[in-house]
Amino acid sequence: MTSAAIDFTYRYPFASGLLQSERGLGLCLATCGVKHDHPYFFDGRLREPRVAGDMLLVLSQVVRTHFFMARQRLRDPVVTSGQSMIRFEGFSGCCGVYARADLPAEAFDAEIKNHGTTNVDFNDPMRAALTRIRDDDNVRLSVGAGEVALKRGEESVIEKKVKLPVRWIKGFSEVQQYQPELSLKLEASASEARQFLRSLPSGQGPKHTCHIVPVGRGLRLSSRSARGSVPISGTNRVRVLEPLMRSARSLRVWADDTAGTSAWEILFPTGRFFLMLSPDLYRGFSGEGQALQKLAGKQRESALHAVRSRLAWQDQIDPQAVAKETGFAVKEVEAALALLGSRGLAGFDVSSGRFFHRELPFDLEQVETLQPRLQGASKLLAEKRVEVLTRLAEGGADVAVGGTNVIHHVRLRPDGDRCTCPWFSKYQGKRGPCKHILAARILVDGEDEASGEDPP
Amino acid sequence: MTPEQFAELIAEGDAEKIADAAAPLSESERRKLWKGVPEVVAEVHTVWNLPPRASTDSPALDTLRARLGDRYRPNPSACDAAVLAVGPLSAARKIGARGDVSTAVLLKVLSDRRPEWIDKWVESRLGARFPSRYDWDLIRPLIRHGICQKPNSDEYIRWMASAAINRWQDDPRLLNQIFLDDPDTLEDVWRLFEVDTGTLWMPEDGQRAAMRDSWPVALAKLSQEGHIDRQRLLDASLKALSSGFKNTTLTYYIRFYRFLKPTPDETASRQQTLLELLPNPASHVVTFALETIEQIERAAQLEDKAFLSAISPVFRLRSKGQARLALGIAGRLVEKKPALLPHAVAGVVDALSHPEAEVQKQALSLLEGWTPRLHPDHATAIRERLQELAPSVRSRAEKVVCQVRPTVAEPMERAIDEELTSKQNELAREAIALPSPWRERAGVDDALESLRAGRMPKPLKFDVLEARVLTSVPPIEPIRTVDELIDAVAHAIETLDSADELERILDGISRLCDQRPADFQSRTEPLAKRLADQRLSDDLARQLADRMPELLYDLLMIWLSKETAPPGYSGYNTVALYRFFDSRIEEVIGRVQLGRARPLMAAPTHEGGWISPVVLVRRLSTLFQNGDEPDTCDLIQAILRLAPDDREMALAEAGSLPGCVGRAVRWCLGSGEGPIQDDNSHTSLWLAAGRARCPTGSLDAVSVLKVTKDQPDALQPARYAWKSCAREGDLRFAWRHGYFPIKVTVEPGSPHDASARTWPTVALHERREHWEQIPAWQCCLPVAWRIGLIAQVWPLCLDPLLVAGIAALGWRMDMPESTLEPNHVYLRPWLEPDRPWSELATVAIWMGLVSKDPGSRTTALDVLVESIADGRACPRQMSDVLLWMLPGNWAKLNRVADAMAEAARISAVHAWFAAETLQSIVAGMDAYPRDTHCLLSLLYELLTDLGVALAPETRRRLEDVPGTGKMKKLALALRKLDPQLRSEKLQQAGLTMLESRMARARRWSSQSAFPLDANH
């Protein structure tokens, strides 16, 4: 199941590129939506073209790289044109690195024409051209093209047929689940960050998880944790940021101590670049199953529909405002937003601490139906291999769930569910619930719902 | 034709007949014939290499054989023809690549049929893992005759490139002739520059390349003969360098471009493309571009402005060669045409951000020359980079800034003397108030005195028995409930995290084995099943690396189900140390079987295997009060794990412990009541007590007992000698011929007494039969928890562990890290601030520092950084050890310099330490290896930064540096360094060292916050 892939064709009306025109250089990005439409979002002059060029280059590097195997990927980044922000997002081939370049309205001399999310063509000649952009260049950025330009380019349609692994799309969606849990750990000036990045070992770095620790006026890689340190595995994943440091203002490092994820945010005078790493080099975000519990529960469907109907390409979604509009509690709205995030319908911005609206330009329905653990749980329920043994007064239950030649004992507790299966024993819930816990939860919560009780 | 007749044709094995028979058939007739084919084909593939008369389990074929008699000769080639003739795409895709079938026949089959799926089939053939000549001979004609479309995919190009090279020997044509014979392919050759086929390989030597029939030679010939455009060929090979291909592939394109021998005009006309290569992430591509641009510049054909505005990205590369080349060209251009200066400055200022001091110096030299014409904005840009500049460049850069924009410069020197003096006085008052003897032991008095005398304090020397180690290592929380125990065991069955976790589980089972909740059976049934399955598993990784001690399986099975597990792998039961572990587990098994729960004496109270002496005494008291007695191996292990903390307090409480056990425990805690002759039956206990009392001394008091004398770490401590062995070939293959960079010998030699099983300190030294350098316990792959377990046998003395660690680190010296050899674990104990550096530890730490293995290097660097900060590291000891290592010629000085530079950037103390160590190394060198300049260069920067001059002995040594090269220049520069009257950095470093020692004294003198109850 993990190798399941969806055939996808990027079909662009022309090849993206940096073209010389009467008005200066033009960075024209070709677009391709989920139904092979070609939206036109934006056309304006970049105020700091070198910074934008560097950000797009690093983003493209992340998208093209598989960080622990020598494989090159042909996937492209996606761009979201929000109300006052253009965000470019990408996900590495190994599913362990998520990158986003945020360009606020102040970065342009123009207004955003349309809103939406689409794939954008990043090709080799364009990458090479991006490296040559200088700050004193007059560069216009256009995302998509008007009808005239589209017609003119009809003969140069670019097609890239790729296989999008389900785990890649799942990871791209699920990575949003981790971001609300991040907290700010470290800050460094551009020169300190530059020195730190240069001090990182070449190659993939140490195999065991290391830690970034503050030292003196900078940062260093250490083999053991310290107060305020940030765990990291696969230092090559951070080294991709090095080209950005020459024009950066500062670096902020975020981390989630429980999940072991870290996020690296590079701040520029205008705009920022965000890079998020999975807990382990060899373990991508996909398959983590953090969202499974939410996907399994059906009780939030009504809040979900209500919140979804309020999405209008906001750069920041205010849960309180949405709660006021929909009549749901703020917590329910927040949970619905998190669920929308895991379905690829919203992203999270750590800096503002808010979700933003964007819809990944892939067939997301397929992804949800291909969640193997969720499918396994449904199968267990359909085969009636789940039986509630006892229900506890303080909330929770003991459930027997059929496994391979053995009955697993699932304990549902308010402080965390547990199972006796090998998978849960190994990961201890750090990679989301196993199919046995999911099946037990669906059964017990379903019965609670039927009886009108609140599930724990 | 009926399906039966068609099946007969397949069984006859004549592909041509099949082709002829299928030729006139329509697509619907073919579909009808397909009906019986899959079964026959499947059976043919099973039996085709059996003798014709051999009996098979193939009913369809058996019938055909009976019917055909001598005509029965099935073979896969005929099957392929049949499948292509009548089969669907799904079956055609399964045809393998074989050379034994006539491609002409298959070509005829496909030409006659012209299946609608032919394009998809061709694509799938090209996507095969190993495209072959078979495909080439079949598919090319299909394309040529228009039976299928020419594929547009990269696979087609890869396949074309490799198939043409790997053609059969029966094709004598040269490669260029093949393409001339099939002119349609001439257009395809351009895609060899767009797809990474790896086939453009050519040697560095162009002449040698010309002697081979290869792609580069063929392309060059085709171009010479006018079949393909030479200019396009030159452009394509340059364009390919921007493609993001593998570095080796890029090298081939560079060589190919040079192989074409472009004329100066051809090169000059491509300078825009060459400039576009400057931001390339591959350093060798940038070198090529710059070297070619330099040729253009020397021919006075370079578009200077374009070049100057394109050089900035060159300075992003870490290596210095490209940056220096770019700066050289820029300097010459401005020298020739001063008007170009405004175009050059931005790029040159960018070069100041380069990590190499040499590049910074070169850039600054240019800027110094241009100072009168610099704009104030340039001064601001330089100022922004001041912090990153090497100390030897920084002051020069500050001068440039001041000259260009005096208002920008802030006063760089502040009156901080007063601040430092006041801080020193304050610290002195606090230091004096610290309690004795902790103040003296932690080196506070020495640091204070040194500070007053204006020198740096001596390195801190202390005996581990004088330290309070439990104040710096985290306590271990024991397993409290059966629920917790079940969860811990379930996790350990899948993955054992650490030796601490193993001990927690052992202790948990020992204490909780009499508790069985009502649902115990249902909750543990899946665990018991997994245990039984794992025991029988032949999974290699599990067998070698991740497996728990064998008897632990038995213990868990008995605890879970009162049954023993089926016998499994038992590769290490002959090793004395593992027999000791087994004995400990057997003791627990015995009690679990009887349902007698009690705490394990040897359960560590703190990480690293340490046991608080007070806790052990209380555990023993409780045990004796309950009328019980400790198990032998459990008690031996417990005694060997005793921490040096609070031994006096423990001794005071141990007075009531009865018998020989009581006397042994009291003796190890410091009483004068040693063994007597009647204690002969408890020799192991007294030996363990002796080694806990005095880890590195002679145990004369134990000699009254019957103990064989020539055993390491029995009556006498083990003595270690080591030598650096001359490098033998490539270190990456050292293991093949048994080469160890460092050989450690232990005296007395490998233990031979059978009693070593209960003498763990001796068993640690047991050697493998043919590998003197490797301890016997390394017979299993050294996964992290197992190394940790060995380290916990005798935490007071880790030199026996280091003997193995030094061998392991040596073998991976020039290799990347391996998950199966986590060598960094050997170094981790020295992260504890109360573990002094032995000589072997210094050797191991150096090996980690100069290793290519990033895990070992990072941990060794951590150890160094922490040890400098807390005063354990000694510059003289480090330099002496390195000087003894250097004759082996395997320790690279650039790696030494890198490690020291990395440590030096932490603080002034670290910078001083690195400078001191480097000075001692340089002063002690008998000869100057070629890479000595790396050390001198770093030393120069450090001394400049600290404001300190060379030590007299180093100065004398540098007087006779031979030659006129880089080393000589650095030696001269070092000798010219003037010391500052009063180095603020050194003063700051002295204060930091005093603070660190005061912190240690405070920690050692503090009351233990750890609950000293027997349940720990």
Side-chain angles (χ1 to χ4, degrees):
Chain A
M1 213 58 189
T2 48
S3 60
I6 296 168
D7 286 318
F8 187 82
T9 304
Y10 292 106
R11 196 165 194 280
Y12 297 106
F14 55 90
S16 297
L18 189 69
L19 312 167
Q20 186 71 51
S21 70
E22 293 158 8
R23 293 191 295 173
L25 288 166
L27 177 57
C28 306
L29 301 180
T31 60
C32 168
V34 68
K35 289 174 184 161
H36 291 149
D37 48 332
H38 307 295
Y40 179 32
F41 289 153
F42 176 84
D43 185 357
R45 194 179 71 84
L46 285 168
R47 290 202 172 119
E48 289 180 9
R50 183 161 134 170
V51 172
D54 284 350
M55 282 205 265
L56 294 182
L57 259 179
V58 174
L59 179 79
S60 137
Q61 182 67 28
V62 170
V63 175
R64 291 159 62 99
T65 310
H66 191 295
F67 283 91
F68 62 90
M69 287 175 92
R71 285 185 193 163
Q72 223 182 22
R73 300 291 183 186
L74 285 171
R75 289 164 211 144
D76 284 332
V78 298
V79 62
T80 300
S81 170
Q83 288 174 347
S84 60
M85 177 98 79
I86 302 275
R87 298 182 199 258
F88 292 86
E89 289 176 275
F91 200 51
S92 68
C94 58
C95 305
V97 184
Y98 164 78
R100 196 181 67 231
D102 292 345
L103 295 173
E106 304 86 73
F108 310 103
D109 273 347
E111 280 182 11
I112 293 166
K113 293 182 189 300
N114 293 301
H115 305 302
T117 310
T118 179
N119 295 291
V120 276
D121 173 40
F122 269 42
N123 51 58
D124 285 332
M126 189 195 97
R127 281 166 49 83
L130 283 176
T131 60
R132 296 193 297 274
I133 293 182
R134 292 191 307 270
D135 261 342
D136 52 358
D137 284 335
N138 180 18
V139 182
R140 294 186 72 77
L141 169 70
S142 61
V143 180
E147 274 184 38
V148 180
L150 279 180
K151 275 188 182 168
R152 210 169 46 219
E154 258 174 8
E155 285 166 14
S156 56
V157 171
I158 304 296
E159 272 197 2
K160 292 192 238 179
K161 287 180 182 173
V162 294
K163 288 208 176 289
L164 296 180
V166 170
R167 60 186 293 267
W168 185 82
I169 305 178
K170 266 163 54 187
F172 207 158
S173 315
E174 284 192 13
V175 72
Q176 309 303 330
Q177 287 282 319
Y178 289 87
Q179 295 185 39
E181 309 304 321
L182 294 170
S183 59
L184 184 61
K185 296 280 183 179
L186 300 166
E187 284 189 89
S189 69
S191 73
E192 289 161 1
R194 205 154 37 222
Q195 281 190 353
F196 162 70
L197 291 173
R198 281 173 184 163
S199 74
L200 291 174
S202 57
Q204 293 175 352
K207 297 268 182 193
H208 58 283
T209 299
C210 283
H211 301 266
I212 310 301
V213 293
V215 54
R217 288 190 305 167
L219 307 172
R220 68 176 282 265
L221 183 71
S222 169
S223 62
R224 70 172 179 176
S225 62
R227 186 182 294 172
S229 66
V230 171
I232 181 172
S233 168
T235 48
N236 56 331
R237 302 189 294 174
V238 184
R239 275 212 320 274
V240 294
L241 293 175
E242 207 176 328
L244 292 178
M245 296 318 301
R246 60 179 182 167
S247 23
R249 204 178 62 202
S250 62
L251 167 75
R252 297 202 293 186
V253 190
W254 304 71
D256 174 359
D257 292 332
T258 315
T261 51
S262 65
W264 302 68
E265 188 187 18
I266 302 192
L267 303 172
F268 297 92
T270 42
R272 57 182 175 250
F273 192 89
F274 182 78
L275 186 90
M276 188 159 177
L277 308 183
S278 64
D280 188 15
L281 173 64
Y282 303 102
R283 170 181 156 197
F285 282 108
S286 52
E288 293 290 276
Q290 303 296 333
L292 284 176
Q293 203 99 50
K294 285 174 184 145
L295 292 174
K298 298 287 177 196
Q299 67 272 22
R300 294 201 176 99
E301 283 298 321
S302 54
L304 195 70
H305 289 302
V307 174
R308 189 174 178 181
S309 66
R310 298 296 187 284
L311 297 181
W313 306 105
Q314 300 95 321
D315 299 315
Q316 291 184 25
I317 302 171
D318 181 359
Q320 287 187 327
V322 177
K324 214 171 172 182
E325 286 172 30
T326 57
F328 285 99
V330 174
K331 272 196 170 179
E332 281 178 296
V333 172
E334 284 172 345
L337 283 170
L339 191 49
L340 288 170
S342 69
R343 289 180 177 181
L345 301 174
F348 191 81
D349 185 337
V350 170
S351 300
S352 64
R354 297 265 171 89
F355 278 93
F356 60 89
H357 181 206
R358 70 105 163 79
E359 295 183 4
L360 285 181
F362 310 111
D363 187 357
L364 299 165
E365 292 296 318
Q366 282 197 55
V367 179
E368 203 159 307
T369 56
L370 286 172
Q371 290 281 4
R373 270 181 266 165
L374 211 49
Q375 278 187 336
S378 305
K379 196 175 166 202
L380 285 169
L381 287 164
E383 292 171 359
K384 299 195 185 307
R385 294 169 70 191
V386 189
E387 183 193 348
V388 179
L389 298 173
T390 48
R391 279 180 170 274
L392 306 177
E394 64 270 27
D398 282 0
V399 184
V401 184
T404 314
N405 302 327
V406 77
I407 303 290
H408 289 299
H409 191 96
V410 174
R411 282 175 292 158
L412 304 178
R413 299 286 185 272
D415 59 347
D417 303 336
R418 307 194 75 79
C419 177
T420 52
C421 74
W423 196 86
F424 184 86
S425 300
K426 188 165 184 179
Y427 300 116
Q428 309 269 295
K430 285 177 190 160
R431 298 194 181 185
C434 62
K435 65 179 178 183
H436 310 108
I437 290 179
L438 279 175
R441 268 280 162 221
I442 293 171
L443 182 72
V444 171
D445 291 353
E447 286 177 5
D448 286 343
E449 224 166 298
S451 65
E453 286 177 35
D454 273 345
Chain B
M1 181 179 282
T2 64
E4 290 73 24
Q5 287 168 329
F6 195 71
E8 276 180 21
L9 284 178
I10 298 171
E12 282 181 37
D14 190 335
E16 283 182 37
K17 260 189 181 178
I18 292 171
D20 290 340
L25 300 176
S26 68
E27 199 55 36
S28 63
E29 287 169 327
R30 287 171 196 260
R31 271 199 291 274
K32 282 176 194 158
L33 291 181
W34 174 245
K35 198 179 167 189
V37 175
E39 190 185 1
V40 175
V41 166
E43 290 180 11
V44 169
H45 282 292
T46 320
V47 306
W48 73 278
N49 52 355
L50 296 176
R53 302 281 171 205
S55 101
T56 65
D57 285 333
S58 313
L61 278 185
D62 285 346
T63 314
L64 286 168
R65 181 166 59 180
R67 208 184 301 159
L68 294 173
D70 289 342
R71 285 191 294 137
Y72 174 80
R73 296 185 185 282
N75 64 68
S77 306
C79 292
D80 288 355
V83 169
L84 290 181
V86 300
L89 174 62
S90 57
R93 274 181 170 156
K94 290 176 188 163
I95 291 176
R98 277 181 294 273
D100 57 349
V101 64
S102 162
T103 49
V105 174
L106 298 187
L107 189 59
K108 176 176 166 38
V109 169
L110 289 168
S111 307
D112 291 340
R113 183 177 180 188
R114 292 184 179 250
E116 59 179 10
W117 42 255
I118 186 73
D119 290 336
K120 287 181 182 171
W121 182 75
V122 167
E123 287 284 4
S124 75
R125 294 301 314 154
L126 298 178
R129 198 168 172 192
F130 303 108
S132 67
R133 140 73 183 296
Y134 164 87
D135 297 301
W136 167 263
D137 287 350
L138 176 61
I139 295 173
R140 267 310 304 167
L142 288 176
I143 296 169
R144 205 164 45 235
H145 299 314
I147 295 162
C148 72
Q149 287 187 350
K150 185 195 281 189
N152 198 27
S153 63
D154 290 353
E155 280 75 21
Y156 169 69
I157 301 301
R158 284 198 191 96
W159 162 80
M160 177 192 80
S162 66
I165 286 286
N166 302 323
R167 61 194 184 277
W168 299 132
Q169 286 176 348
D170 58 5
D171 189 346
R173 293 174 300 167
L174 290 174
L175 195 53
N176 59 320
Q177 192 58 44
I178 290 175
F179 283 83
L180 289 175
D181 292 349
D182 189 356
D184 183 36
T185 53
L186 281 176
E187 200 45 43
D188 294 332
V189 298
W190 300 112
R191 291 202 58 206
L192 290 171
F193 298 90
E194 294 166 8
V195 180
D196 185 356
T197 62
T199 50
L200 231 67
W201 179 89
M202 62 183 302
E204 198 169 1
D205 177 2
Q207 277 194 334
R208 205 155 60 84
M211 291 163 68
R212 291 173 57 96
D213 182 32
S214 61
W215 267 114
V217 173
L219 291 173
K221 272 187 189 165
L222 288 169
S223 129
Q224 276 165 13
E225 292 163 7
H227 301 295
I228 56 176
D229 181 10
R230 173 181 164 81
Q231 297 309 315
R232 191 175 168 189
L233 207 52
L234 285 167
D235 287 337
S237 52
L238 284 185
K239 198 179 163 205
L241 297 176
S242 302
S243 56
F245 293 159
K246 288 196 293 280
N247 279 352
T248 43
T249 308
L250 295 177
T251 307
Y252 303 151
Y253 289 115
I254 291 172
R255 287 178 187 168
F256 178 64
Y257 179 84
R258 287 177 171 153
F259 181 64
L260 292 174
K261 295 194 175 73
T263 63
D265 285 344
E266 282 174 333
T267 305
S269 67
R270 286 174 176 78
Q271 55 183 297
Q272 186 53 40
T273 314
L274 290 164
L275 292 179
E276 286 170 9
L277 293 176
L278 295 185
N280 202 297
S283 56
H284 63 312
V285 171
V286 180
T287 307
F288 159 75
L290 283 168
E291 284 172 354
T292 316
I293 288 168
E294 195 175 33
Q295 289 170 14
I296 302 170
E297 185 242 332
R298 291 197 189 282
Q301 287 181 298
L302 183 64
E303 289 173 23
D304 35 31
K305 284 181 194 165
F307 170 76
L308 291 172
S309 59
I311 56 171
S312 281
V314 175
F315 307 118
R316 286 186 226 163
L317 294 174
R318 287 192 186 193
S319 47
K320 61 187 172 189
Q322 298 80 8
R324 299 203 62 186
L325 196 51
L327 286 172
I329 299 172
R332 285 198 298 275
L333 289 175
V334 177
E335 201 180 335
K336 280 181 205 162
K337 278 193 208 169
L340 289 172
L341 190 140
H343 302 277
V345 179
V348 176
V349 169
D350 273 351
L352 291 176
S353 298
H354 198 276
E356 288 287 340
E358 279 182 58
V359 176
Q360 295 174 4
K361 271 179 204 162
Q362 193 178 348
L364 195 65
S365 298
L366 289 175
L367 292 170
E368 282 170 337
W370 302 343
T371 305
R373 298 178 59 203
L374 291 181
H375 187 271
D377 286 352
H378 296 140
T380 311
I382 298 169
R383 194 179 152 71
E384 279 170 7
R385 286 158 176 84
L386 282 181
Q387 211 185 13
E388 291 170 68
L389 291 178
S392 62
V393 185
R394 199 179 302 142
S395 55
R396 284 169 55 192
E398 281 166 2
K399 276 183 200 159
V400 172
V401 172
C402 290
Q403 285 171 25
V404 178
R405 192 172 186 179
T407 50
V408 173
E410 283 174 7
M412 300 303 287
E413 289 183 12
R414 286 171 294 145
I416 56 170
D417 260 12
E418 252 179 58
E419 200 182 309
L420 288 173
T421 314
S422 124
K423 191 175 178 186
Q424 182 175 329
N425 293 338
E426 191 185 326
L427 285 175
R429 274 195 302 277
E430 285 176 29
I432 291 164
L434 289 168
S436 194
W438 307 112
R439 198 180 68 226
E440 293 86 352
R441 285 188 192 173
V444 175
D445 287 355
D446 172 53
L448 202 53
E449 200 182 309
S450 305
L451 208 56
R452 283 173 182 152
R455 54 183 161 77
M456 297 299 281
K458 287 182 213 140
L460 181 61
K461 296 277 176 198
F462 63 90
D463 191 314
V464 67
L465 288 177
E466 292 173 352
R468 293 194 65 202
V469 298
L470 300 188
T471 57
S472 65
V473 285
I476 290 177
E477 187 60 32
I479 291 173
R480 301 282 182 194
T481 63
V482 176
D483 269 0
E484 214 183 311
L485 181 58
I486 293 171
D487 286 343
V489 169
H491 181 60
I493 291 172
E494 296 308 319
T495 178
L496 190 53
D497 292 336
S498 66
D500 289 329
E501 189 59 15
L502 179 63
E503 291 288 355
R504 278 181 84 234
I505 289 172
L506 264 185
D507 175 57
I509 294 176
S510 180
R511 278 187 296 105
L512 304 168
C513 63
D514 59 341
Q515 295 180 27
R516 299 235 156 199
D519 59 353
F520 186 83
Q521 179 70 21
S522 67
R523 284 178 52 196
T524 56
E525 195 187 341
L527 267 63
K529 185 176 181 309
R530 262 151 59 199
L531 267 176
D533 290 350
Q534 270 198 15
R535 187 73 177 270
L536 296 171
S537 158
D538 58 355
D539 179 73
L540 188 65
R542 192 165 289 286
Q543 291 281 5
L544 292 176
D546 212 11
R547 205 179 177 90
M548 293 188 293
E550 194 63 17
L551 266 177
L552 193 60
Y553 279 89
D554 286 341
L555 171 64
L556 293 176
M557 285 301 279
I558 289 165
W559 170 61
L560 290 171
S561 56
K562 300 284 181 196
E563 288 170 13
T564 50
Y569 170 82
S570 57
Y572 46 66
N573 289 348
T574 55
V575 178
L577 200 59
Y578 292 130
R579 294 212 309 274
F580 174 70
F581 290 139
D582 285 353
S583 302
R584 282 187 59 206
I585 296 171
E586 276 166 3
E587 290 169 356
V588 184
I589 287 176
R591 284 203 309 280
V592 173
Q593 281 175 326
L594 297 171
R596 287 171 53 202
R598 75 176 199 208
L600 213 58
M601 298 298 110
T605 57
H606 289 72
E607 282 182 14
W610 296 108
I611 297 180
S612 158
V614 178
V615 172
L616 177 62
V617 169
R618 291 179 186 177
R619 282 177 186 168
L620 284 166
S621 299
T622 312
L623 195 70
F624 283 118
Q625 279 163 17
N626 294 339
D628 216 341
E629 282 197 2
D631 293 319
T632 310
C633 291
D634 187 25
L635 183 60
I636 289 171
Q637 182 59 88
I639 284 175
L640 282 172
R641 284 179 174 168
L642 280 180
D645 309 46
D646 304 322
R647 287 194 175 194
E648 282 176 23
M649 195 205 298
L651 180 61
E653 289 193 22
S656 61
L657 296 179
C660 179
V661 170
R663 279 190 296 113
V665 170
R666 283 192 292 277
W667 187 59
C668 80
L669 292 173
S671 87
E673 196 184 3
I676 53 175
Q677 278 187 341
D678 287 354
D679 291 333
N680 255 327
S681 55
H682 297 101
T683 312
S684 310
L685 177 63
W686 284 100
L687 268 181
R691 285 289 148 229
R693 177 188 169 103
C694 178
T696 53
S698 297
L699 303 180
D700 297 335
V702 188
S703 58
V704 297
L705 305 177
K706 284 180 189 164
V707 184
T708 324
K709 286 193 174 159
D710 56 342
Q711 305 261 36
D713 282 326
L715 287 183
Q716 298 297 324
R719 295 182 303 279
Y720 303 92
W722 62 274
K723 69 168 184 176
S724 176
C725 304
R727 186 191 187 103
E728 288 177 18
D730 193 333
L731 270 187
R732 289 174 300 170
F733 308 111
W735 56 274
R736 283 192 191 164
H737 44 94
Y739 167 75
F740 291 90
I742 283 189
K743 274 190 181 165
V744 184
T745 46
V746 185
E747 290 294 333
S750 189
H752 46 77
D753 197 318
S755 54
R757 183 178 71 86
T758 51
W759 297 358
T761 56
V762 176
L764 279 166
H765 294 284
E766 190 184 10
R767 291 279 167 276
R768 285 167 80 168
E769 204 170 335
H770 302 294
W771 295 84
E772 277 185 12
Q773 291 299 306
I774 301 177
W777 51 262
Q778 266 192 335
C779 63
C780 301
L781 275 181
V783 287
W785 69 260
R786 191 173 283 127
I787 300 172
L789 196 62
I790 305 296
Q792 295 194 1
V793 171
W794 188 22
L796 275 171
C797 179
L798 294 184
D799 280 351
L801 178 82
L802 283 176
V803 176
I806 287 169
L809 285 161
W811 271 2
R812 292 208 77 85
M813 179 69 62
D814 272 358
M815 283 201 276
E817 192 175 359
S818 160
T819 317
L820 295 178
E821 293 175 64
N823 294 338
H824 63 95
V825 183
Y826 290 106
L827 300 169
R828 291 194 74 82
W830 278 267
L831 290 168
E832 293 171 16
D834 297 328
R835 191 172 288 286
W837 285 31
S838 64
E839 190 170 304
L840 281 190
T842 314
V843 173
I845 290 162
W846 263 127
M847 294 189 82
L849 290 174
V850 299
S851 174
K852 210 175 172 184
D853 169 351
S856 303
R857 186 180 181 275
T858 307
T859 308
L861 205 51
D862 281 344
V863 170
L864 179 66
V865 165
E866 307 249 338
S867 303
I868 294 172
D870 63 30
R872 284 177 296 147
C874 167
R876 175 65 71 174
Q877 186 181 10
M878 282 208 80
S879 60
D880 286 350
V881 166
L882 185 73
L883 288 168
W884 290 326
M885 285 163 74
L886 288 181
N889 202 25
W890 44 262
K892 295 180 178 170
L893 292 182
N894 61 331
R895 294 189 196 168
V896 172
D898 284 350
M900 284 293 150
E902 183 61 19
R905 84 177 174 93
I906 305 294
S907 74
V909 180
H910 293 82
W912 166 81
F913 182 94
E916 282 292 294
T917 309
L918 291 175
Q919 293 217 59
S920 297
I921 293 169
V922 173
M925 277 178 161
D926 291 330
Y928 296 108
R930 226 176 45 178
D931 46 359
T932 309
H933 66 87
C934 301
L935 301 187
L936 297 183
S937 174
L938 175 62
L939 181 59
Y940 180 69
E941 297 300 340
L942 290 174
L943 293 181
T944 309
D945 192 31
L946 290 166
V948 179
L950 274 183
E953 55 178 347
T954 317
R955 180 184 293 273
R956 272 195 300 279
R957 186 71 189 91
L958 287 178
E959 277 167 8
D960 63 347
V961 174
T964 54
K966 197 186 281 183
M967 212 187 312
K968 180 78 178 177
K969 283 177 192 159
L970 280 164
L972 280 172
L974 275 162
R975 281 162 48 205
K976 278 184 193 165
L977 276 179
D978 291 324
Q980 288 176 10
L981 284 176
R982 188 177 166 83
S983 165
E984 277 166 17
K985 287 216 166 172
L986 271 193
Q987 206 180 345
Q988 184 62 54
L991 285 174
T992 311
M993 286 172 93
L994 174 63
E995 277 180 308
S996 132
R997 291 178 184 206
M998 286 168 63
R1000 182 189 288 275
R1002 275 193 207 103
R1003 181 165 57 77
W1004 280 357
S1005 61
S1006 63
Q1007 287 297 314
S1008 173
F1010 176 66
L1012 299 170
D1013 66 79
N1015 288 331
H1016 260 95

